[in-house]
Amino acid sequence: MSSKENCRNELRTAIRQLSDRCLYAASKWAAEQLVGIEQDPAKFTPANTRFQRGSSSIRRRFHTNESTSTPISGVLYVSTPVMEEDEVVDGDFYLLAKTYFDCREYRRAAHVLRDQIGKKSVFLRCYALYLAGEKRKEEEMIELEGPLGKSDAVNREIAALERELSTLRKNGTIDPFGLYLYGLVLKEKGSENLARIVLVESVNSYPWNWSAWSELQSLCTTVDILNSLNLNSHWMKDFFLASAYQELRMQNEALAKYEYLQSIFSFSNYIQAQIAKAKYSLREFEQVEAIFEELLRNDPYRVEDMDMYSNVLYAKECFSALSYLAHRVFMTDKYRPESCCIIGNYYSLKGQHEKSVVYFKRALKLNKNYLSAWTLMGHEFVEMKNTPAAVDAYRRAVDINPCDYRAWYGLGQAYEMMGMPFYALHYFKKSVFLQPNDSRLWIAMAHCYETEQLSMLEEAVKCYKRAVNCNDREAIALHQLAKLHCELGQLEEAAFYYKKDLERMETEEREGPNMVEALLFLAQYYRGQKRFEDAEVYCTRLLDYTGPEKETAKNILRGMRLGQSSFPSMDVEHFPP
């Protein structure tokens, strides 16, 4: 049997098993991967060719390493286990409990199953109690502190569930779904090491529960922890590793894994979205935009991940496209956190920051742990000069995910606005540790070093050099390097960077005061070096301007022609600050 057919059969069975246990998020994920598998051409009919999508142009367009995209072969496949079914013992009770569960009456579901001993019934009863505790915790948070406030509310079912599930595990009477729930309970309690062990047992026994993989991934905060996991060889492990690499900011490794998986799951929207996320982190916005456009053509009512697409449109200032996207998600499902963030971005781009904040707060009412909303709301408060509120929003973001470099960067910006460069530098260092390839973070650090309180110009120079190496798209670092070297009296280095900055401005066909400054410096520098032909070239270009630099250029030319030596020498004070 082909590897594609193996995957297809495994997923079909897993979907039924996951849905039967009310693990709907994992079942949905599995179903999306099922229809993402490339169909056998011999079996195509007009009714089942929907997912051919114009010969998968996106898939071919973004493959960068074809050698990694060979069919999955030689991988140990774990056959789908036949889970012990308990319908004969407590089938009617289970059906009633599942009905209550689907109606979100969790305690009624648990009560119905109080005397049932089948593994399915035990899992559903414990899972219903866990969700009942989570529901009550959310209610207490709203009652005590409001939907956006902090609270000490806890899930009161955790202790009892831990005792019961621990006993079942010791007795060997727990199934992979019970292990998943036990891992969830241990994670919430803070027992992360044991939670990892239990979740590894769960995914090794039953690898098709994506919810278990997701919880395990959230506990892999370092590469060492990830590498220490003793995981069975299975294609689901590749999905897990790709996702973990993304969270650990190993974007190229994640892309390689996803492109490998595309050999089987050629039309998976999930994989396309994850590739877009990785390329977004690498700031390849053009490719990200193309992928999301393709995703929307194939899945026009998709809301998931579209907030990232809105971030790309915001960064590119594509007002009409962002307006269309905001209207689209509003009509599809306006009460989704992603929809609220997209609309918030739309109002932010329009400059209506107060209205933008309203929508980010609405997103947080829907999901208080929605990271993007906290970070984006912090950005809006910075724009509104409300730095205390911005600091609070960013702190909530880093509480949720300490690896979110944007929140650390936002904290640095807020403290910089408050004139506290030592604090700002601390947070910028955290952000650049998490995202060392982002030139904006190095430039922000350099600005801190340049402040009067720190005045560490040599360190600022190092930061600007790192920004140049990280492809400074805003063209800030080269100009600042030239000015700093000039200020430090390092005129040869200053000339080198002014010349590079000038070449870049000419390539990009940009004009402005930076070009005038570079031309003026280079004219004076080469005159001081007695390289009169080079100096004359820059002076001649300055004659095209109408400001005082034109008169300066005339004086330099006149001085060179008359052999005068009374013109300004190469002292730093004669150059622009």
Side-chain angles (χ1 to χ4, degrees), residues 1 39 53 119 125 294 436 515 555:
M1 185 181 294
Q39 302 294 314
R53 307 185 190 179
K119 290 182 180 179
R125 174 174 56 78
E294 179 79 2
M515 179 169 281
N555 290 337

Side-chain angles (χ1 to χ4, degrees), residues 251-304:
Q251 306 300 341
N252 291 322
E253 290 85 349
L255 282 171
K257 278 288 180 188
Y258 284 125
E259 288 166 0
Y260 170 72
L261 286 165
Q262 277 188 324
S263 62
I264 296 292
F265 303 91
S266 306
F267 303 109
S268 168
N269 285 340
Y270 169 81
I271 291 178
Q272 289 298 335
Q274 299 312 305
I275 289 174
K277 285 183 181 180
K279 290 184 177 291
Y280 176 81
S281 296
L282 296 171
R283 297 182 64 77
E284 298 176 7
F285 291 158
E286 295 296 333
Q287 294 189 22
V288 174
E289 186 177 6
I291 293 172
F292 276 120
E293 286 174 355
E294 179 79 2
L295 277 173
L296 280 176
R297 279 194 292 271
N298 298 321
D299 190 1
Y301 299 103
R302 183 185 183 94
V303 177
E304 188 178 1

Side-chain angles (χ1 to χ4, degrees), residues 10 76-81 204-205 207-208 232-234:
E10 290 174 7
L76 173 62
Y77 278 87
V78 182
S79 61
T80 308
N204 280 344
S205 302
W208 300 277
N232 289 344
S233 207
H234 190 271

Side-chain angles (χ1 to χ4, degrees), residues 287-472:
Q287 294 189 22
V288 174
E289 186 177 6
I291 293 172
F292 276 120
E293 286 174 355
E294 179 79 2
L295 277 173
L296 280 176
R297 279 194 292 271
N298 298 321
D299 190 1
Y301 299 103
R302 183 185 183 94
V303 177
E304 188 178 1
D305 303 317
M306 288 298 115
D307 53 335
M308 181 175 292
Y309 181 32
S310 77
N311 291 340
V312 172
L313 297 176
Y314 183 96
K316 295 181 67 178
E317 298 184 0
C318 299
F319 182 83
S320 58
L322 183 53
S323 173
Y324 176 72
L325 179 64
H327 177 75
R328 190 170 187 162
V329 296
F330 182 85
M331 299 303 294
T332 300
D333 189 350
K334 65 180 180 181
Y335 292 118
R336 282 275 293 271
E338 296 94 332
S339 301
C340 294
C341 283
I342 292 168
I343 297 169
N345 272 340
Y346 165 73
Y347 282 116
S348 178
L349 191 58
K350 286 185 70 176
Q352 299 181 20
H353 301 296
E354 293 83 357
K355 204 162 186 178
S356 179
V357 166
V358 169
Y359 277 93
F360 291 134
K361 285 184 175 180
R362 184 174 294 176
L364 292 167
K365 286 181 181 178
L366 296 166
N367 181 357
K368 64 181 177 61
N369 291 325
Y370 199 67
L371 182 64
S372 293
W374 284 115
T375 306
L376 293 171
M377 188 165 68
H379 295 344
E380 294 309 299
F381 283 131
V382 167
E383 293 292 332
M384 295 161 63
K385 304 293 188 278
N386 187 351
T387 47
V391 167
D392 184 59
Y394 290 134
R395 288 198 183 281
R396 294 298 299 274
V398 296
D399 286 344
I400 295 167
N401 183 3
C403 295
D404 180 23
Y405 79 93
R406 298 171 304 166
W408 291 115
Y409 174 66
L411 278 170
Q413 280 188 309
Y415 279 102
E416 190 176 35
M417 287 174 60
M418 292 188 285
M420 303 169 72
F422 287 95
Y423 284 96
L425 184 62
H426 170 74
Y427 293 119
F428 286 141
K429 283 182 177 179
K430 281 185 172 289
S431 68
V432 84
F433 172 76
L434 295 168
Q435 189 77 359
N437 296 321
D438 194 326
S439 62
R440 298 169 302 170
L441 310 184
W442 290 107
I443 290 170
M445 279 183 64
H447 286 163
C448 281
Y449 283 124
E450 286 184 274
T451 57
E452 290 184 10
Q453 294 98 314
L454 274 70
S455 190
M456 299 169 66
L457 301 186
E458 293 290 351
E459 294 299 319
V461 166
K462 292 177 184 177
C463 291
Y464 283 128
K465 285 181 178 178
R466 288 295 299 268
V468 170
N469 293 334
C470 293
N471 187 21
D472 172 28

Side-chain angles (χ1 to χ4, degrees), residues 499 502 506 518-520 522-524 526-527 531-545 553 556-557 560-561:
K499 198 168 184 179
L502 188 62
E506 289 169 347
L519 291 170
L520 187 58
L522 292 168
Q524 293 175 321
Y526 285 122
R527 195 208 69 165
R531 293 170 57 178
F532 299 126
E533 289 184 5
D534 291 331
E536 187 172 351
V537 169
Y538 293 112
C539 286
T540 303
R541 291 181 61 179
L542 283 167
L543 295 177
D544 294 333
Y545 294 88
I556 294 173
L557 285 169
M560 288 190 296
R561 288 166 183 165

